[in-house]
mmCIF file with all atom_site columns, all heavy atoms in Angstrom:
data_model
loop_
_atom_site.group_PDB
_atom_site.id
_atom_site.type_symbol
_atom_site.label_atom_id
_atom_site.label_alt_id
_atom_site.label_comp_id
_atom_site.label_asym_id
_atom_site.label_entity_id
_atom_site.label_seq_id
_atom_site.pdbx_PDB_ins_code
_atom_site.Cartn_x
_atom_site.Cartn_y
_atom_site.Cartn_z
_atom_site.occupancy
_atom_site.B_iso_or_equiv
_atom_site.pdbx_formal_charge
_atom_site.auth_seq_id
_atom_site.auth_comp_id
_atom_site.auth_asym_id
_atom_site.auth_atom_id
_atom_site.pdbx_PDB_model_num
ATOM   1   N N   . PHE A 1 33  ? -64.974 28.830 22.382 1.00 98.00 ? 187  PHE A N   1
ATOM   2   C CA  . PHE A 1 33  ? -65.358 28.744 20.976 1.00 98.00 ? 187  PHE A CA  1
ATOM   3   C C   . PHE A 1 33  ? -66.737 28.152 20.772 1.00 98.00 ? 187  PHE A C   1
ATOM   4   O O   . PHE A 1 33  ? -67.383 28.422 19.773 1.00 98.00 ? 187  PHE A O   1
ATOM   5   C CB  . PHE A 1 33  ? -64.308 27.959 20.179 1.00 98.00 ? 187  PHE A CB  1
ATOM   6   C CG  . PHE A 1 33  ? -63.072 28.765 19.937 1.00 98.00 ? 187  PHE A CG  1
ATOM   7   C CD1 . PHE A 1 33  ? -61.819 28.173 19.935 1.00 98.00 ? 187  PHE A CD1 1
ATOM   8   C CD2 . PHE A 1 33  ? -63.161 30.123 19.727 1.00 98.00 ? 187  PHE A CD2 1
ATOM   9   C CE1 . PHE A 1 33  ? -60.690 28.929 19.722 1.00 98.00 ? 187  PHE A CE1 1
ATOM   10  C CE2 . PHE A 1 33  ? -62.040 30.900 19.509 1.00 98.00 ? 187  PHE A CE2 1
ATOM   11  C CZ  . PHE A 1 33  ? -60.791 30.293 19.509 1.00 98.00 ? 187  PHE A CZ  1
ATOM   12  N N   . PHE A 1 34  ? -67.167 27.332 21.711 1.00 98.00 ? 188  PHE A N   1
ATOM   13  C CA  . PHE A 1 34  ? -68.482 26.718 21.520 1.00 98.00 ? 188  PHE A CA  1
ATOM   14  C C   . PHE A 1 34  ? -69.405 26.921 22.717 1.00 98.00 ? 188  PHE A C   1
ATOM   15  O O   . PHE A 1 34  ? -70.308 26.141 22.935 1.00 98.00 ? 188  PHE A O   1
ATOM   16  C CB  . PHE A 1 34  ? -68.331 25.231 21.172 1.00 98.00 ? 188  PHE A CB  1
ATOM   17  C CG  . PHE A 1 34  ? -67.877 25.005 19.751 1.00 98.00 ? 188  PHE A CG  1
ATOM   18  C CD1 . PHE A 1 34  ? -66.573 24.630 19.464 1.00 98.00 ? 188  PHE A CD1 1
ATOM   19  C CD2 . PHE A 1 34  ? -68.766 25.198 18.698 1.00 98.00 ? 188  PHE A CD2 1
ATOM   20  C CE1 . PHE A 1 34  ? -66.162 24.446 18.144 1.00 98.00 ? 188  PHE A CE1 1
ATOM   21  C CE2 . PHE A 1 34  ? -68.370 25.020 17.371 1.00 98.00 ? 188  PHE A CE2 1
ATOM   22  C CZ  . PHE A 1 34  ? -67.065 24.640 17.092 1.00 98.00 ? 188  PHE A CZ  1
ATOM   23  N N   . ASP A 1 51  ? -71.064 21.759 16.395 1.00 97.00 ? 205  ASP A N   1
ATOM   24  C CA  . ASP A 1 51  ? -71.454 21.298 15.066 1.00 97.00 ? 205  ASP A CA  1
ATOM   25  C C   . ASP A 1 51  ? -71.728 19.822 15.200 1.00 97.00 ? 205  ASP A C   1
ATOM   26  O O   . ASP A 1 51  ? -71.216 19.172 16.120 1.00 97.00 ? 205  ASP A O   1
ATOM   27  C CB  . ASP A 1 51  ? -70.300 21.531 14.084 1.00 97.00 ? 205  ASP A CB  1
ATOM   28  C CG  . ASP A 1 51  ? -70.120 23.023 13.802 1.00 97.00 ? 205  ASP A CG  1
ATOM   29  O OD1 . ASP A 1 51  ? -71.053 23.593 13.261 1.00 97.00 ? 205  ASP A OD1 1
ATOM   30  O OD2 . ASP A 1 51  ? -69.047 23.565 14.135 1.00 97.00 ? 205  ASP A OD2 1
ATOM   31  N N   . ARG A 1 57  ? -69.550 17.155 16.701 1.00 97.00 ? 211  ARG A N   1
ATOM   32  C CA  . ARG A 1 57  ? -68.129 17.348 16.380 1.00 97.00 ? 211  ARG A CA  1
ATOM   33  C C   . ARG A 1 57  ? -67.253 17.055 17.592 1.00 97.00 ? 211  ARG A C   1
ATOM   34  O O   . ARG A 1 57  ? -67.720 17.063 18.735 1.00 97.00 ? 211  ARG A O   1
ATOM   35  C CB  . ARG A 1 57  ? -67.948 18.802 15.944 1.00 97.00 ? 211  ARG A CB  1
ATOM   36  C CG  . ARG A 1 57  ? -66.739 19.059 15.097 1.00 97.00 ? 211  ARG A CG  1
ATOM   37  C CD  . ARG A 1 57  ? -66.827 20.488 14.584 1.00 97.00 ? 211  ARG A CD  1
ATOM   38  N NE  . ARG A 1 57  ? -65.580 20.917 13.991 1.00 97.00 ? 211  ARG A NE  1
ATOM   39  C CZ  . ARG A 1 57  ? -65.332 22.181 13.677 1.00 97.00 ? 211  ARG A CZ  1
ATOM   40  N NH1 . ARG A 1 57  ? -66.226 23.126 13.910 1.00 97.00 ? 211  ARG A NH1 1
ATOM   41  N NH2 . ARG A 1 57  ? -64.177 22.499 13.134 1.00 97.00 ? 211  ARG A NH2 1
ATOM   42  N N   . TRP A 1 65  ? -58.028 26.317 18.544 1.00 94.00 ? 219  TRP A N   1
ATOM   43  C CA  . TRP A 1 65  ? -58.781 25.460 17.631 1.00 94.00 ? 219  TRP A CA  1
ATOM   44  C C   . TRP A 1 65  ? -58.178 24.077 17.492 1.00 94.00 ? 219  TRP A C   1
ATOM   45  O O   . TRP A 1 65  ? -58.166 23.504 16.404 1.00 94.00 ? 219  TRP A O   1
ATOM   46  C CB  . TRP A 1 65  ? -58.933 26.139 16.269 1.00 94.00 ? 219  TRP A CB  1
ATOM   47  C CG  . TRP A 1 65  ? -60.050 27.134 16.291 1.00 94.00 ? 219  TRP A CG  1
ATOM   48  C CD1 . TRP A 1 65  ? -59.948 28.488 16.348 1.00 94.00 ? 219  TRP A CD1 1
ATOM   49  C CD2 . TRP A 1 65  ? -61.453 26.844 16.283 1.00 94.00 ? 219  TRP A CD2 1
ATOM   50  N NE1 . TRP A 1 65  ? -61.193 29.079 16.380 1.00 94.00 ? 219  TRP A NE1 1
ATOM   51  C CE2 . TRP A 1 65  ? -62.137 28.083 16.341 1.00 94.00 ? 219  TRP A CE2 1
ATOM   52  C CE3 . TRP A 1 65  ? -62.207 25.668 16.246 1.00 94.00 ? 219  TRP A CE3 1
ATOM   53  C CZ2 . TRP A 1 65  ? -63.534 28.169 16.356 1.00 94.00 ? 219  TRP A CZ2 1
ATOM   54  C CZ3 . TRP A 1 65  ? -63.595 25.767 16.254 1.00 94.00 ? 219  TRP A CZ3 1
ATOM   55  C CH2 . TRP A 1 65  ? -64.236 27.009 16.305 1.00 94.00 ? 219  TRP A CH2 1
ATOM   56  N N   . LEU A 1 113 ? -75.574 22.645 15.995 1.00 98.00 ? 267  LEU A N   1
ATOM   57  C CA  . LEU A 1 113 ? -75.566 23.624 14.907 1.00 98.00 ? 267  LEU A CA  1
ATOM   58  C C   . LEU A 1 113 ? -75.951 22.955 13.589 1.00 98.00 ? 267  LEU A C   1
ATOM   59  O O   . LEU A 1 113 ? -75.145 22.755 12.690 1.00 98.00 ? 267  LEU A O   1
ATOM   60  C CB  . LEU A 1 113 ? -74.194 24.296 14.843 1.00 98.00 ? 267  LEU A CB  1
ATOM   61  C CG  . LEU A 1 113 ? -73.735 24.870 16.195 1.00 98.00 ? 267  LEU A CG  1
ATOM   62  C CD1 . LEU A 1 113 ? -72.295 25.340 16.135 1.00 98.00 ? 267  LEU A CD1 1
ATOM   63  C CD2 . LEU A 1 113 ? -74.650 26.021 16.626 1.00 98.00 ? 267  LEU A CD2 1
ATOM   64  N N   . ARG A 1 127 ? -70.499 24.011 -0.010 1.00 97.00 ? 281  ARG A N   1
ATOM   65  C CA  . ARG A 1 127 ? -71.224 23.433 1.117  1.00 97.00 ? 281  ARG A CA  1
ATOM   66  C C   . ARG A 1 127 ? -72.496 22.711 0.698  1.00 97.00 ? 281  ARG A C   1
ATOM   67  O O   . ARG A 1 127 ? -73.283 22.320 1.564  1.00 97.00 ? 281  ARG A O   1
ATOM   68  C CB  . ARG A 1 127 ? -71.548 24.519 2.161  1.00 97.00 ? 281  ARG A CB  1
ATOM   69  C CG  . ARG A 1 127 ? -70.324 25.042 2.857  1.00 97.00 ? 281  ARG A CG  1
ATOM   70  C CD  . ARG A 1 127 ? -70.664 25.938 4.022  1.00 97.00 ? 281  ARG A CD  1
ATOM   71  N NE  . ARG A 1 127 ? -70.821 25.183 5.263  1.00 97.00 ? 281  ARG A NE  1
ATOM   72  C CZ  . ARG A 1 127 ? -70.865 25.750 6.462  1.00 97.00 ? 281  ARG A CZ  1
ATOM   73  N NH1 . ARG A 1 127 ? -70.786 27.069 6.576  1.00 97.00 ? 281  ARG A NH1 1
ATOM   74  N NH2 . ARG A 1 127 ? -70.993 25.019 7.550  1.00 97.00 ? 281  ARG A NH2 1
ATOM   75  N N   . GLU A 1 130 ? -73.777 19.796 2.621  1.00 98.00 ? 284  GLU A N   1
ATOM   76  C CA  . GLU A 1 130 ? -74.422 20.016 3.919  1.00 98.00 ? 284  GLU A CA  1
ATOM   77  C C   . GLU A 1 130 ? -75.882 20.422 3.762  1.00 98.00 ? 284  GLU A C   1
ATOM   78  O O   . GLU A 1 130 ? -76.597 20.540 4.747  1.00 98.00 ? 284  GLU A O   1
ATOM   79  C CB  . GLU A 1 130 ? -73.720 21.151 4.663  1.00 98.00 ? 284  GLU A CB  1
ATOM   80  C CG  . GLU A 1 130 ? -72.365 20.820 5.202  1.00 98.00 ? 284  GLU A CG  1
ATOM   81  C CD  . GLU A 1 130 ? -71.851 21.961 6.071  1.00 98.00 ? 284  GLU A CD  1
ATOM   82  O OE1 . GLU A 1 130 ? -72.479 22.262 7.101  1.00 98.00 ? 284  GLU A OE1 1
ATOM   83  O OE2 . GLU A 1 130 ? -70.821 22.567 5.713  1.00 98.00 ? 284  GLU A OE2 1
ATOM   84  N N   . LYS A 1 160 ? -79.381 26.743 9.854  1.00 98.00 ? 314  LYS A N   1
ATOM   85  C CA  . LYS A 1 160 ? -78.416 27.700 9.326  1.00 98.00 ? 314  LYS A CA  1
ATOM   86  C C   . LYS A 1 160 ? -78.397 27.616 7.818  1.00 98.00 ? 314  LYS A C   1
ATOM   87  O O   . LYS A 1 160 ? -78.864 26.626 7.262  1.00 98.00 ? 314  LYS A O   1
ATOM   88  C CB  . LYS A 1 160 ? -77.039 27.412 9.932  1.00 98.00 ? 314  LYS A CB  1
ATOM   89  C CG  . LYS A 1 160 ? -76.463 26.025 9.628  1.00 98.00 ? 314  LYS A CG  1
ATOM   90  C CD  . LYS A 1 160 ? -75.284 25.733 10.536 1.00 98.00 ? 314  LYS A CD  1
ATOM   91  C CE  . LYS A 1 160 ? -74.538 24.497 10.087 1.00 98.00 ? 314  LYS A CE  1
ATOM   92  N NZ  . LYS A 1 160 ? -73.404 24.172 10.972 1.00 98.00 ? 314  LYS A NZ  1
ATOM   93  N N   . HIS A 1 161 ? -77.949 28.591 7.069  1.00 98.00 ? 315  HIS A N   1
ATOM   94  C CA  . HIS A 1 161 ? -77.428 29.868 7.532  1.00 98.00 ? 315  HIS A CA  1
ATOM   95  C C   . HIS A 1 161 ? -78.384 30.916 6.997  1.00 98.00 ? 315  HIS A C   1
ATOM   96  O O   . HIS A 1 161 ? -78.520 31.033 5.779  1.00 98.00 ? 315  HIS A O   1
ATOM   97  C CB  . HIS A 1 161 ? -76.016 30.103 7.001  1.00 98.00 ? 315  HIS A CB  1
ATOM   98  C CG  . HIS A 1 161 ? -75.080 28.953 7.286  1.00 98.00 ? 315  HIS A CG  1
ATOM   99  N ND1 . HIS A 1 161 ? -74.967 27.852 6.487  1.00 98.00 ? 315  HIS A ND1 1
ATOM   100 C CD2 . HIS A 1 161 ? -74.224 28.753 8.334  1.00 98.00 ? 315  HIS A CD2 1
ATOM   101 C CE1 . HIS A 1 161 ? -74.071 27.010 6.999  1.00 98.00 ? 315  HIS A CE1 1
ATOM   102 N NE2 . HIS A 1 161 ? -73.609 27.533 8.114  1.00 98.00 ? 315  HIS A NE2 1
ATOM   103 N N   . GLU A 1 168 ? -69.717 30.014 -1.289 1.00 94.00 ? 322  GLU A N   1
ATOM   104 C CA  . GLU A 1 168 ? -68.619 30.132 -0.324 1.00 94.00 ? 322  GLU A CA  1
ATOM   105 C C   . GLU A 1 168 ? -67.605 31.187 -0.752 1.00 94.00 ? 322  GLU A C   1
ATOM   106 O O   . GLU A 1 168 ? -66.861 31.706 0.066  1.00 94.00 ? 322  GLU A O   1
ATOM   107 C CB  . GLU A 1 168 ? -67.934 28.773 -0.156 1.00 94.00 ? 322  GLU A CB  1
ATOM   108 C CG  . GLU A 1 168 ? -68.808 27.738 0.523  1.00 94.00 ? 322  GLU A CG  1
ATOM   109 C CD  . GLU A 1 168 ? -69.242 28.171 1.909  1.00 94.00 ? 322  GLU A CD  1
ATOM   110 O OE1 . GLU A 1 168 ? -68.414 28.196 2.821  1.00 94.00 ? 322  GLU A OE1 1
ATOM   111 O OE2 . GLU A 1 168 ? -70.428 28.513 2.087  1.00 94.00 ? 322  GLU A OE2 1
ATOM   112 N N   . ARG A 1 171 ? -67.271 34.380 1.234  1.00 94.00 ? 325  ARG A N   1
ATOM   113 C CA  . ARG A 1 171 ? -68.468 34.168 2.056  1.00 94.00 ? 325  ARG A CA  1
ATOM   114 C C   . ARG A 1 171 ? -68.613 35.183 3.179  1.00 94.00 ? 325  ARG A C   1
ATOM   115 O O   . ARG A 1 171 ? -69.701 35.424 3.662  1.00 94.00 ? 325  ARG A O   1
ATOM   116 C CB  . ARG A 1 171 ? -68.475 32.764 2.631  1.00 94.00 ? 325  ARG A CB  1
ATOM   117 C CG  . ARG A 1 171 ? -67.348 32.460 3.612  1.00 94.00 ? 325  ARG A CG  1
ATOM   118 C CD  . ARG A 1 171 ? -67.578 31.086 4.193  1.00 94.00 ? 325  ARG A CD  1
ATOM   119 N NE  . ARG A 1 171 ? -66.541 30.688 5.132  1.00 94.00 ? 325  ARG A NE  1
ATOM   120 C CZ  . ARG A 1 171 ? -66.726 29.772 6.057  1.00 94.00 ? 325  ARG A CZ  1
ATOM   121 N NH1 . ARG A 1 171 ? -67.887 29.181 6.168  1.00 94.00 ? 325  ARG A NH1 1
ATOM   122 N NH2 . ARG A 1 171 ? -65.750 29.430 6.864  1.00 94.00 ? 325  ARG A NH2 1
ATOM   123 N N   . MET A 1 204 ? -79.239 30.397 12.943 1.00 98.00 ? 358  MET A N   1
ATOM   124 C CA  . MET A 1 204 ? -77.911 31.007 12.804 1.00 98.00 ? 358  MET A CA  1
ATOM   125 C C   . MET A 1 204 ? -77.891 31.966 11.612 1.00 98.00 ? 358  MET A C   1
ATOM   126 O O   . MET A 1 204 ? -78.308 31.603 10.518 1.00 98.00 ? 358  MET A O   1
ATOM   127 C CB  . MET A 1 204 ? -76.847 29.920 12.590 1.00 98.00 ? 358  MET A CB  1
ATOM   128 C CG  . MET A 1 204 ? -75.423 30.474 12.546 1.00 98.00 ? 358  MET A CG  1
ATOM   129 S SD  . MET A 1 204 ? -74.198 29.241 12.012 1.00 98.00 ? 358  MET A SD  1
ATOM   130 C CE  . MET A 1 204 ? -74.235 28.092 13.366 1.00 98.00 ? 358  MET A CE  1
ATOM   131 N N   . TYR A 1 207 ? -72.999 34.406 6.997  1.00 97.00 ? 361  TYR A N   1
ATOM   132 C CA  . TYR A 1 207 ? -71.823 35.285 6.940  1.00 97.00 ? 361  TYR A CA  1
ATOM   133 C C   . TYR A 1 207 ? -72.019 36.431 5.949  1.00 97.00 ? 361  TYR A C   1
ATOM   134 O O   . TYR A 1 207 ? -71.472 37.503 6.096  1.00 97.00 ? 361  TYR A O   1
ATOM   135 C CB  . TYR A 1 207 ? -70.623 34.477 6.441  1.00 97.00 ? 361  TYR A CB  1
ATOM   136 C CG  . TYR A 1 207 ? -69.885 33.674 7.485  1.00 97.00 ? 361  TYR A CG  1
ATOM   137 C CD1 . TYR A 1 207 ? -69.439 32.395 7.193  1.00 97.00 ? 361  TYR A CD1 1
ATOM   138 C CD2 . TYR A 1 207 ? -69.573 34.214 8.726  1.00 97.00 ? 361  TYR A CD2 1
ATOM   139 C CE1 . TYR A 1 207 ? -68.715 31.645 8.113  1.00 97.00 ? 361  TYR A CE1 1
ATOM   140 C CE2 . TYR A 1 207 ? -68.854 33.467 9.657  1.00 97.00 ? 361  TYR A CE2 1
ATOM   141 C CZ  . TYR A 1 207 ? -68.429 32.190 9.343  1.00 97.00 ? 361  TYR A CZ  1
ATOM   142 O OH  . TYR A 1 207 ? -67.717 31.463 10.259 1.00 97.00 ? 361  TYR A OH  1
ATOM   143 N N   . ASP A 1 239 ? -73.194 33.426 12.891 1.00 98.00 ? 393  ASP A N   1
ATOM   144 C CA  . ASP A 1 239 ? -72.197 32.451 12.470 1.00 98.00 ? 393  ASP A CA  1
ATOM   145 C C   . ASP A 1 239 ? -70.882 32.891 13.106 1.00 98.00 ? 393  ASP A C   1
ATOM   146 O O   . ASP A 1 239 ? -70.718 34.034 13.515 1.00 98.00 ? 393  ASP A O   1
ATOM   147 C CB  . ASP A 1 239 ? -72.106 32.346 10.940 1.00 98.00 ? 393  ASP A CB  1
ATOM   148 C CG  . ASP A 1 239 ? -71.432 31.029 10.521 1.00 98.00 ? 393  ASP A CG  1
ATOM   149 O OD1 . ASP A 1 239 ? -70.792 30.377 11.384 1.00 98.00 ? 393  ASP A OD1 1
ATOM   150 O OD2 . ASP A 1 239 ? -71.518 30.650 9.345  1.00 98.00 ? 393  ASP A OD2 1
ATOM   151 N N   . TRP A 1 240 ? -69.943 31.970 13.163 1.00 98.00 ? 394  TRP A N   1
ATOM   152 C CA  . TRP A 1 240 ? -68.717 32.193 13.921 1.00 98.00 ? 394  TRP A CA  1
ATOM   153 C C   . TRP A 1 240 ? -67.840 33.283 13.252 1.00 98.00 ? 394  TRP A C   1
ATOM   154 O O   . TRP A 1 240 ? -67.150 33.033 12.290 1.00 98.00 ? 394  TRP A O   1
ATOM   155 C CB  . TRP A 1 240 ? -67.966 30.883 14.068 1.00 98.00 ? 394  TRP A CB  1
ATOM   156 C CG  . TRP A 1 240 ? -68.342 30.050 15.265 1.00 98.00 ? 394  TRP A CG  1
ATOM   157 C CD1 . TRP A 1 240 ? -67.449 29.471 16.122 1.00 98.00 ? 394  TRP A CD1 1
ATOM   158 C CD2 . TRP A 1 240 ? -69.633 29.680 15.760 1.00 98.00 ? 394  TRP A CD2 1
ATOM   159 N NE1 . TRP A 1 240 ? -68.128 28.786 17.120 1.00 98.00 ? 394  TRP A NE1 1
ATOM   160 C CE2 . TRP A 1 240 ? -69.467 28.899 16.926 1.00 98.00 ? 394  TRP A CE2 1
ATOM   161 C CE3 . TRP A 1 240 ? -70.944 29.955 15.357 1.00 98.00 ? 394  TRP A CE3 1
ATOM   162 C CZ2 . TRP A 1 240 ? -70.535 28.380 17.664 1.00 98.00 ? 394  TRP A CZ2 1
ATOM   163 C CZ3 . TRP A 1 240 ? -72.013 29.442 16.098 1.00 98.00 ? 394  TRP A CZ3 1
ATOM   164 C CH2 . TRP A 1 240 ? -71.794 28.673 17.229 1.00 98.00 ? 394  TRP A CH2 1
ATOM   165 N N   . VAL A 1 260 ? -64.332 33.133 16.107 1.00 96.00 ? 414  VAL A N   1
ATOM   166 C CA  . VAL A 1 260 ? -63.245 32.146 16.017 1.00 96.00 ? 414  VAL A CA  1
ATOM   167 C C   . VAL A 1 260 ? -61.950 32.605 16.689 1.00 96.00 ? 414  VAL A C   1
ATOM   168 O O   . VAL A 1 260 ? -60.950 31.897 16.672 1.00 96.00 ? 414  VAL A O   1
ATOM   169 C CB  . VAL A 1 260 ? -62.934 31.772 14.545 1.00 96.00 ? 414  VAL A CB  1
ATOM   170 C CG1 . VAL A 1 260 ? -64.149 31.157 13.875 1.00 96.00 ? 414  VAL A CG1 1
ATOM   171 C CG2 . VAL A 1 260 ? -62.437 32.971 13.745 1.00 96.00 ? 414  VAL A CG2 1
ATOM   172 N N   . SER A 1 370 ? -66.667 22.571 9.114  1.00 95.00 ? 524  SER A N   1
ATOM   173 C CA  . SER A 1 370 ? -67.285 22.399 10.433 1.00 95.00 ? 524  SER A CA  1
ATOM   174 C C   . SER A 1 370 ? -68.184 21.165 10.490 1.00 95.00 ? 524  SER A C   1
ATOM   175 O O   . SER A 1 370 ? -68.607 20.761 11.573 1.00 95.00 ? 524  SER A O   1
ATOM   176 C CB  . SER A 1 370 ? -68.063 23.652 10.830 1.00 95.00 ? 524  SER A CB  1
ATOM   177 O OG  . SER A 1 370 ? -69.035 23.946 9.851  1.00 95.00 ? 524  SER A OG  1
ATOM   178 N N   . TRP A 1 414 ? -57.815 24.970 10.157 1.00 82.00 ? 568  TRP A N   1
ATOM   179 C CA  . TRP A 1 414 ? -58.474 25.818 9.148  1.00 82.00 ? 568  TRP A CA  1
ATOM   180 C C   . TRP A 1 414 ? -59.398 26.823 9.807  1.00 82.00 ? 568  TRP A C   1
ATOM   181 O O   . TRP A 1 414 ? -59.563 27.932 9.343  1.00 82.00 ? 568  TRP A O   1
ATOM   182 C CB  . TRP A 1 414 ? -59.239 24.961 8.128  1.00 82.00 ? 568  TRP A CB  1
ATOM   183 C CG  . TRP A 1 414 ? -60.447 24.293 8.725  1.00 82.00 ? 568  TRP A CG  1
ATOM   184 C CD1 . TRP A 1 414 ? -60.493 23.076 9.320  1.00 82.00 ? 568  TRP A CD1 1
ATOM   185 C CD2 . TRP A 1 414 ? -61.764 24.844 8.837  1.00 82.00 ? 568  TRP A CD2 1
ATOM   186 N NE1 . TRP A 1 414 ? -61.754 22.818 9.793  1.00 82.00 ? 568  TRP A NE1 1
ATOM   187 C CE2 . TRP A 1 414 ? -62.559 23.887 9.506  1.00 82.00 ? 568  TRP A CE2 1
ATOM   188 C CE3 . TRP A 1 414 ? -62.359 26.051 8.429  1.00 82.00 ? 568  TRP A CE3 1
ATOM   189 C CZ2 . TRP A 1 414 ? -63.903 24.101 9.780  1.00 82.00 ? 568  TRP A CZ2 1
ATOM   190 C CZ3 . TRP A 1 414 ? -63.702 26.258 8.714  1.00 82.00 ? 568  TRP A CZ3 1
ATOM   191 C CH2 . TRP A 1 414 ? -64.458 25.294 9.377  1.00 82.00 ? 568  TRP A CH2 1
ATOM   192 N N   . GLN A 1 415 ? -59.981 26.448 10.941 1.00 89.00 ? 569  GLN A N   1
ATOM   193 C CA  . GLN A 1 415 ? -61.027 27.308 11.479 1.00 89.00 ? 569  GLN A CA  1
ATOM   194 C C   . GLN A 1 415 ? -60.479 28.584 12.129 1.00 89.00 ? 569  GLN A C   1
ATOM   195 O O   . GLN A 1 415 ? -61.137 29.609 12.125 1.00 89.00 ? 569  GLN A O   1
ATOM   196 C CB  . GLN A 1 415 ? -61.905 26.548 12.472 1.00 89.00 ? 569  GLN A CB  1
ATOM   197 C CG  . GLN A 1 415 ? -63.256 27.231 12.639 1.00 89.00 ? 569  GLN A CG  1
ATOM   198 C CD  . GLN A 1 415 ? -64.394 26.296 12.937 1.00 89.00 ? 569  GLN A CD  1
ATOM   199 O OE1 . GLN A 1 415 ? -64.184 25.129 13.251 1.00 89.00 ? 569  GLN A OE1 1
ATOM   200 N NE2 . GLN A 1 415 ? -65.614 26.796 12.844 1.00 89.00 ? 569  GLN A NE2 1
ATOM   201 N N   . SER A 1 418 ? -60.529 31.006 9.532  1.00 86.00 ? 572  SER A N   1
ATOM   202 C CA  . SER A 1 418 ? -61.647 30.844 8.606  1.00 86.00 ? 572  SER A CA  1
ATOM   203 C C   . SER A 1 418 ? -62.408 32.131 8.311  1.00 86.00 ? 572  SER A C   1
ATOM   204 O O   . SER A 1 418 ? -63.199 32.181 7.388  1.00 86.00 ? 572  SER A O   1
ATOM   205 C CB  . SER A 1 418 ? -62.625 29.790 9.139  1.00 86.00 ? 572  SER A CB  1
ATOM   206 O OG  . SER A 1 418 ? -63.130 30.197 10.391 1.00 86.00 ? 572  SER A OG  1
ATOM   207 N N   . GLU A 1 474 ? -66.344 23.461 3.098  1.00 93.00 ? 628  GLU A N   1
ATOM   208 C CA  . GLU A 1 474 ? -66.721 24.793 3.579  1.00 93.00 ? 628  GLU A CA  1
ATOM   209 C C   . GLU A 1 474 ? -65.619 25.785 3.225  1.00 93.00 ? 628  GLU A C   1
ATOM   210 O O   . GLU A 1 474 ? -64.439 25.487 3.363  1.00 93.00 ? 628  GLU A O   1
ATOM   211 C CB  . GLU A 1 474 ? -66.872 24.713 5.115  1.00 93.00 ? 628  GLU A CB  1
ATOM   212 C CG  . GLU A 1 474 ? -67.128 26.051 5.753  1.00 93.00 ? 628  GLU A CG  1
ATOM   213 C CD  . GLU A 1 474 ? -67.370 25.928 7.252  1.00 93.00 ? 628  GLU A CD  1
ATOM   214 O OE1 . GLU A 1 474 ? -67.725 24.827 7.720  1.00 93.00 ? 628  GLU A OE1 1
ATOM   215 O OE2 . GLU A 1 474 ? -67.197 26.938 7.947  1.00 93.00 ? 628  GLU A OE2 1
HETATM 216 C C1  . BGC B 2 .   ? -69.716 27.644 9.869  1.00 53.19 ? 1358 BGC B C1  1
HETATM 217 C C2  . BGC B 2 .   ? -70.918 27.226 10.676 1.00 53.19 ? 1358 BGC B C2  1
HETATM 218 C C3  . BGC B 2 .   ? -70.465 26.474 11.891 1.00 53.19 ? 1358 BGC B C3  1
HETATM 219 C C4  . BGC B 2 .   ? -69.527 27.362 12.697 1.00 53.19 ? 1358 BGC B C4  1
HETATM 220 C C5  . BGC B 2 .   ? -69.012 26.726 13.971 1.00 53.19 ? 1358 BGC B C5  1
HETATM 221 C C6  . BGC B 2 .   ? -68.639 28.337 10.696 1.00 53.19 ? 1358 BGC B C6  1
HETATM 222 O O1  . BGC B 2 .   ? -67.452 28.367 10.002 1.00 53.19 ? 1358 BGC B O1  1
HETATM 223 O O2  . BGC B 2 .   ? -70.122 28.476 8.800  1.00 53.19 ? 1358 BGC B O2  1
HETATM 224 O O3  . BGC B 2 .   ? -71.787 26.446 9.897  1.00 53.19 ? 1358 BGC B O3  1
HETATM 225 O O4  . BGC B 2 .   ? -71.553 26.054 12.637 1.00 53.19 ? 1358 BGC B O4  1
HETATM 226 O O5  . BGC B 2 .   ? -68.403 27.661 11.887 1.00 53.19 ? 1358 BGC B O5  1
HETATM 227 O O6  . BGC B 2 .   ? -68.071 25.765 13.708 1.00 53.19 ? 1358 BGC B O6  1
#
Side-chain angles (χ1 to χ4, degrees):
F187 285 144
F188 285 105
D205 289 297
R211 202 172 168 192
W219 279 104
L267 308 172
R281 292 189 89 167
E284 288 187 62
K314 61 194 191 181
H315 308 85
E322 292 301 289
R325 65 174 179 158
M358 185 190 293
Y361 276 139
D393 199 344
W394 272 227
V414 299
S524 57
W568 69 270
Q569 201 149 12
S572 60
E628 174 176 339

